[in-house]
Amino acid sequence: QVQLVESGGGLVQAGGSLRLSCAASGRTFSNYAMGWFRQAPGKEREFVGSINWSGGSTYYADSVKGRFTISRDNAKNMVYLQMNSLKPEDTAVYYCAARTSGASGRYSIQYDYWGQGTQVTVSS
């Protein structure tokens, strides 16, 4: 079993930055790919970005490419989502997810474990 706990959400003005963190339990964290997803009110959950087990490969949704960066620290069982140049349309609950396959994935069905989410609100 893997438990994931997100933190770092909050209220920020458009153009600002936030860094989300996801703490993972379990000794096999370094084997897992990790993903970030988000869900805005009334919308489906959507892919934000992912990172493979080693951190050597990342993928991003077009909507966040160039503004968001995913990183991980396997020694600390942590994954991060640095969000810059935030826009009101980035407002959502952000979830981190773990995939026991070490390869990154873009689809929520590919992920085996999920955190409870953290709210990000970007004001205009």
Side-chain angles (χ1 to χ4, degrees):
Q1 278 285 357
V2 175
Q3 290 188 327
L4 304 173
V5 179
E6 302 96 335
S7 61
L11 174 64
V12 64
Q13 288 189 331
S17 298
L18 280 176
R19 188 175 85 151
L20 304 184
S21 299
C22 176
S25 66
R27 285 177 281 182
T28 55
F29 171 78
S30 60
N31 295 338
Y32 298 160
M34 299 296 294
W36 285 96
F37 292 77
R38 67 187 182 186
Q39 187 166 19
K43 295 188 176 181
E44 293 187 353
R45 188 171 298 187
E46 66 173 358
F47 172 76
V48 174
S50 62
I51 188 166
N52 75 333
W53 67 275
S54 68
S57 179
T58 54
Y59 296 96
Y60 299 95
D62 288 343
S63 58
V64 306
K65 200 172 294 182
R67 300 188 297 123
F68 291 11
T69 303
I70 295 175
S71 61
R72 67 189 296 161
D73 184 338
N74 286 343
K76 296 181 178 180
N77 281 17
M78 296 291 294
V79 64
Y80 307 99
L81 180 66
Q82 177 67 44
M83 305 186 294
N84 298 328
S85 302
L86 283 160
K87 305 175 181 180
E89 51 263 43
D90 294 319
T91 295
V93 177
Y94 283 71
Y95 299 89
C96 73
R99 185 184 188 198
T100 53
S101 161
S104 296
R106 290 179 170 267
Y107 304 101
S108 59
I109 196 172
Q110 295 174 305
Y111 289 82
D112 304 289
Y113 302 100
W114 292 82
Q116 83 289 349
T118 186
Q119 176 71 47
V120 171
T121 303
V122 184
S123 64
S124 57

